[in-house]
Amino acid sequence: MEDELSRTLRYALEFYLSRLGIIVVFSIPFVLAFLIPALVPAPTYLAIGGVFLRTGSIPELSAMDIAFTALAYVIAVFLIADTIVNINIVVRSKRTLTSIGYEVAKALGTYGTRIFYIYTMVLLLLFIAQLVTYDNPFQSWIYPIFTLLLTSLLFFVPPAVVIDNSDTPTAIRRSVGMAIKNPHFVLLWTVLALAGISVAKLLGDLIFPNPFSGYFVLLVNSLILLPFLTVLQTQMYMEKYPLAR
């Protein structure tokens, strides 16, 4: 298992560095996706490189605020889905030798839409879980456990859609099967993500005062960390194919 993890990490790092320029360019929408919710008139806050909504403040929002917030999150989720698809296409292009520009243009209405649907479903389920457990004394345990289980099982949805051209139900099924069979991949990815965000947060606090440190972390997360983690996620998924090793 150690050899498999180290090999996957090495392949992902080598590919990421070899395609760094185009991956960073394709990752620019990540920045917009995280900034859009922060700019709407809603109780959002910037933390660990992302934008989050204060659930307890929702009753104070007007109907117009809720509409703007929902629209902002829809646009952000679509940008995130499309960016993840584009990075996956860059990874896939190494195997298929197809034109990246052609694949990106073709993927917007297929792969991007499928991932957008799934991610929207995930956000709605998490939002419902927050509301259901609101004021519950065990929310601090129930909600994180539910979030961990849901995101872990759907962890491999993007590569399942792009690499295997899976439809939405098939992508979910393949992701669940892959996650159950390879929990060590999900664990490694999570540890690296937490470590990367922690380092970025430490550097941001050392170099910039608040609130600029938060935006520094957002930029590092959007242009460096998330793109690499997306490449790593795809490489982990492709480990199921012997020829990809």
Side-chain angles (χ1 to χ4, degrees), residues 219-234:
L219 287 175
V220 171
N221 187 33
S222 300
L223 298 179
I224 299 176
L225 183 59
L226 267 180
F228 169 71
L229 291 173
T230 302
V231 171
L232 177 60
Q233 179 188 53
T234 306

Side-chain angles (χ1 to χ4, degrees), residues 19-244:
R19 301 289 198 281
L20 183 60
I22 190 171
I23 289 175
V24 169
V25 170
F26 278 156
S27 300
I28 292 175
F30 270 145
V31 180
L32 298 176
F34 289 123
L35 281 178
I36 288 174
L39 298 178
V40 298
T44 56
Y45 61 97
L46 196 65
I48 58 173
V51 179
F52 302 89
L53 179 68
R54 292 185 177 89
T55 309
S57 301
I58 291 177
E60 303 173 5
L61 299 178
S62 66
M64 187 65 68
D65 290 337
I66 294 175
F68 274 120
T69 302
L71 178 62
Y73 272 85
V74 166
I75 295 174
V77 171
F78 184 82
L79 286 173
I80 291 172
D82 187 53
T83 304
I84 291 175
V85 166
N86 292 341
I87 295 175
N88 271 269
I89 287 175
V90 174
V91 177
R92 193 181 71 175
S93 67
K94 182 179 180 180
R95 295 173 55 197
T96 60
L97 301 179
T98 54
S99 169
I100 293 178
Y102 171 75
E103 288 291 322
V104 167
K106 186 178 70 172
L108 181 61
T110 53
Y111 304 145
T113 303
R114 294 173 196 170
I115 295 176
F116 169 76
Y117 287 154
I118 297 172
Y119 279 5
T120 301
M121 178 190 70
V122 170
L123 283 177
L124 289 175
L125 288 175
L126 293 178
F127 180 68
I128 291 172
Q130 278 187 308
L131 293 180
V132 170
T133 59
Y134 186 67
D135 275 344
N136 188 306
F138 299 104
Q139 186 195 44
S140 59
W141 289 92
I142 297 173
Y143 181 72
I145 292 174
F146 175 76
T147 302
L148 178 63
L149 289 175
L150 183 63
T151 54
S152 295
L153 292 175
L154 299 182
F155 176 77
F156 290 106
V157 158
V161 169
V162 180
I163 302 302
D164 286 339
N165 192 21
S166 304
D167 56 27
T168 300
T170 304
I172 293 174
R173 186 172 65 252
R174 286 177 171 170
S175 177
V176 171
M178 185 75 178
I180 292 175
K181 185 178 179 181
N182 300 278
H184 54 288
F185 279 152
V186 181
L187 179 61
L188 173 64
W189 192 94
T190 304
V191 169
L192 290 176
L194 290 174
I197 292 175
S198 298
V199 171
K201 180 70 167 60
L202 178 62
L203 290 176
D205 290 342
L206 289 175
I207 300 173
F208 301 99
N210 281 324
F212 300 106
S213 60
Y215 288 100
F216 170 80
V217 178
L218 186 147
L219 287 175
V220 171
N221 187 33
S222 300
L223 298 179
I224 299 176
L225 183 59
L226 267 180
F228 169 71
L229 291 173
T230 302
V231 171
L232 177 60
Q233 179 188 53
T234 306
Q235 185 59 54
M236 288 174 171
Y237 182 81
M238 292 195 301
E239 279 291 310
K240 70 177 188 174
Y241 298 111
L243 293 179

